Amino acid sequence: MPHRIDTVIKDKVLAYVVRDGRLLVFRHIDYPWEEVGIQVPAGSVRPGEPPESAVVREAREETGLTEFTVLRKLGEADYDARPYRFEIHRRHFFHLELSEDTPERWLSREDHDGEREPTRFECFWTPLEAGHVLQAGQGALLGKLLDYPR
């Protein structure tokens, strides 16, 4: 009889940060893009943490920037992460504003509260229309940004 693996549901947040028609994205420096793709700031909601707080925390941790404001929640969508992980991600998508200047590209790192080696990123801006290249369905609600005045 095959072994059954239980799938868990985890709350996740994703940040769409748009400036001048461009989307803030990053790539992992230590992993090939073919394996991890281009991503938007995203991560897990901690127990008892509101998704609105989690998305700002994750955006800060992954980009090294601090001046984020939640403009609105765009919606939710489930993502089946199997077979990579036996998880269903209940994703909360947010539109964020960034009120500090940035270069076109910069390096950042997430320290993971010292629990494991830091993750290194290269952050950059890409045209919003190129959002279809985002990994693992992260671009699922990009179309909702079109209804928002820029």
Side-chain angles (χ1 to χ4, degrees), residues 5 24 30 33-34 92 103 120 125 130 141 148:
I5 299 175
L24 176 58
D30 299 316
W33 67 267
E34 298 92 347
H92 304 263
R120 299 182 318 144
W125 297 93
L141 297 187
Y148 195 80

mmCIF file of all heavy atoms in Angstrom, residues 5 24 30 33-34 92 103 120 125 130 141 148:
data_model
loop_
_atom_site.group_PDB
_atom_site.id
_atom_site.type_symbol
_atom_site.label_atom_id
_atom_site.label_comp_id
_atom_site.label_asym_id
_atom_site.label_seq_id
_atom_site.Cartn_x
_atom_site.Cartn_y
_atom_site.Cartn_z
ATOM 1 N N ILE A 5 0.895 10.978 2.109
ATOM 2 C CA ILE A 5 1.505 12.180 2.684
ATOM 3 C C ILE A 5 0.417 13.233 2.820
ATOM 4 O O ILE A 5 -0.261 13.572 1.847
ATOM 5 C CB ILE A 5 2.642 12.709 1.792
ATOM 6 C CG1 ILE A 5 3.732 11.650 1.682
ATOM 7 C CG2 ILE A 5 3.196 14.011 2.337
ATOM 8 C CD1 ILE A 5 4.844 12.010 0.729
ATOM 9 N N LEU A 24 8.514 45.558 -8.831
ATOM 10 C CA LEU A 24 9.691 45.196 -8.043
ATOM 11 C C LEU A 24 9.766 43.671 -7.942
ATOM 12 O O LEU A 24 8.829 43.023 -7.471
ATOM 13 C CB LEU A 24 9.606 45.812 -6.649
ATOM 14 C CG LEU A 24 10.709 45.464 -5.662
ATOM 15 C CD1 LEU A 24 12.082 45.841 -6.188
ATOM 16 C CD2 LEU A 24 10.448 46.144 -4.322
ATOM 17 N N ASP A 30 22.231 32.689 -5.288
ATOM 18 C CA ASP A 30 22.913 31.414 -5.051
ATOM 19 C C ASP A 30 22.228 30.200 -5.681
ATOM 20 O O ASP A 30 22.670 29.078 -5.471
ATOM 21 C CB ASP A 30 23.077 31.191 -3.550
ATOM 22 C CG ASP A 30 23.919 32.288 -2.911
ATOM 23 O OD1 ASP A 30 24.953 32.653 -3.499
ATOM 24 O OD2 ASP A 30 23.531 32.783 -1.835
ATOM 25 N N TRP A 33 18.324 30.537 -11.911
ATOM 26 C CA TRP A 33 16.977 31.055 -12.142
ATOM 27 C C TRP A 33 16.065 29.965 -12.691
ATOM 28 O O TRP A 33 14.857 29.995 -12.497
ATOM 29 C CB TRP A 33 16.995 32.283 -13.034
ATOM 30 C CG TRP A 33 17.425 32.007 -14.459
ATOM 31 C CD1 TRP A 33 18.679 32.088 -14.970
ATOM 32 C CD2 TRP A 33 16.574 31.591 -15.524
ATOM 33 N NE1 TRP A 33 18.668 31.737 -16.295
ATOM 34 C CE2 TRP A 33 17.387 31.429 -16.664
ATOM 35 C CE3 TRP A 33 15.211 31.331 -15.629
ATOM 36 C CZ2 TRP A 33 16.888 31.018 -17.890
ATOM 37 C CZ3 TRP A 33 14.713 30.923 -16.861
ATOM 38 C CH2 TRP A 33 15.551 30.779 -17.963
ATOM 39 N N GLU A 34 16.640 28.949 -13.363
ATOM 40 C CA GLU A 34 15.821 27.864 -13.894
ATOM 41 C C GLU A 34 15.134 27.081 -12.780
ATOM 42 O O GLU A 34 14.107 26.456 -13.016
ATOM 43 C CB GLU A 34 16.673 26.882 -14.720
ATOM 44 C CG GLU A 34 17.318 27.485 -15.939
ATOM 45 C CD GLU A 34 18.722 28.019 -15.668
ATOM 46 O OE1 GLU A 34 19.107 28.152 -14.484
ATOM 47 O OE2 GLU A 34 19.442 28.308 -16.628
ATOM 48 N N HIS A 92 -2.353 35.570 -0.009
ATOM 49 C CA HIS A 92 -2.986 36.875 0.159
ATOM 50 C C HIS A 92 -2.143 37.859 -0.659
ATOM 51 O O HIS A 92 -0.974 38.080 -0.344
ATOM 52 C CB HIS A 92 -2.991 37.292 1.630
ATOM 53 C CG HIS A 92 -3.657 36.300 2.532
ATOM 54 N ND1 HIS A 92 -4.971 36.437 2.928
ATOM 55 C CD2 HIS A 92 -3.197 35.157 3.107
ATOM 56 C CE1 HIS A 92 -5.287 35.420 3.715
ATOM 57 N NE2 HIS A 92 -4.220 34.630 3.835
ATOM 58 N N PRO A 103 18.030 52.291 -6.585
ATOM 59 C CA PRO A 103 18.710 52.178 -7.884
ATOM 60 C C PRO A 103 17.909 51.245 -8.794
ATOM 61 O O PRO A 103 16.913 50.660 -8.363
ATOM 62 C CB PRO A 103 20.067 51.578 -7.508
ATOM 63 C CG PRO A 103 19.864 50.931 -6.186
ATOM 64 C CD PRO A 103 18.730 51.633 -5.503
ATOM 65 N N ARG A 120 20.684 35.359 -0.395
ATOM 66 C CA ARG A 120 21.099 36.558 -1.109
ATOM 67 C C ARG A 120 20.239 36.769 -2.359
ATOM 68 O O ARG A 120 19.938 35.818 -3.074
ATOM 69 C CB ARG A 120 22.574 36.452 -1.489
ATOM 70 C CG ARG A 120 23.461 36.314 -0.260
ATOM 71 C CD ARG A 120 24.941 36.241 -0.566
ATOM 72 N NE ARG A 120 25.263 35.400 -1.701
ATOM 73 C CZ ARG A 120 26.238 35.665 -2.581
ATOM 74 N NH1 ARG A 120 26.992 36.728 -2.448
ATOM 75 N NH2 ARG A 120 26.476 34.842 -3.578
ATOM 76 N N TRP A 125 13.777 46.276 -11.034
ATOM 77 C CA TRP A 125 12.464 46.670 -11.542
ATOM 78 C C TRP A 125 12.309 46.100 -12.949
ATOM 79 O O TRP A 125 13.216 46.194 -13.768
ATOM 80 C CB TRP A 125 12.346 48.193 -11.579
ATOM 81 C CG TRP A 125 12.441 48.819 -10.233
ATOM 82 C CD1 TRP A 125 13.568 49.304 -9.635
ATOM 83 C CD2 TRP A 125 11.377 49.020 -9.310
ATOM 84 N NE1 TRP A 125 13.265 49.791 -8.391
ATOM 85 C CE2 TRP A 125 11.935 49.641 -8.161
ATOM 86 C CE3 TRP A 125 10.013 48.744 -9.323
ATOM 87 C CZ2 TRP A 125 11.161 49.985 -7.056
ATOM 88 C CZ3 TRP A 125 9.251 49.092 -8.228
ATOM 89 C CH2 TRP A 125 9.825 49.699 -7.099
ATOM 90 N N ALA A 130 5.829 42.402 -18.154
ATOM 91 C CA ALA A 130 6.679 41.207 -18.136
ATOM 92 C C ALA A 130 6.394 40.326 -16.919
ATOM 93 O O ALA A 130 7.089 39.347 -16.687
ATOM 94 C CB ALA A 130 8.156 41.619 -18.150
ATOM 95 N N LEU A 141 -2.577 37.555 -9.827
ATOM 96 C CA LEU A 141 -3.499 38.687 -9.677
ATOM 97 C C LEU A 141 -2.914 40.002 -10.194
ATOM 98 O O LEU A 141 -3.425 41.079 -9.875
ATOM 99 C CB LEU A 141 -3.929 38.841 -8.210
ATOM 100 C CG LEU A 141 -4.716 37.660 -7.620
ATOM 101 C CD1 LEU A 141 -5.236 37.988 -6.237
ATOM 102 C CD2 LEU A 141 -5.860 37.234 -8.516
ATOM 103 N N TYR A 148 -6.288 50.125 -11.062
ATOM 104 C CA TYR A 148 -5.870 51.105 -10.058
ATOM 105 C C TYR A 148 -5.191 52.271 -10.758
ATOM 106 O O TYR A 148 -4.312 52.062 -11.591
ATOM 107 C CB TYR A 148 -4.905 50.459 -9.054
ATOM 108 C CG TYR A 148 -4.694 51.252 -7.804
ATOM 109 C CD1 TYR A 148 -5.623 51.213 -6.766
ATOM 110 C CD2 TYR A 148 -3.567 52.051 -7.654
ATOM 111 C CE1 TYR A 148 -5.429 51.939 -5.616
ATOM 112 C CE2 TYR A 148 -3.366 52.778 -6.496
ATOM 113 C CZ TYR A 148 -4.292 52.717 -5.475
ATOM 114 O OH TYR A 148 -4.101 53.439 -4.333
#
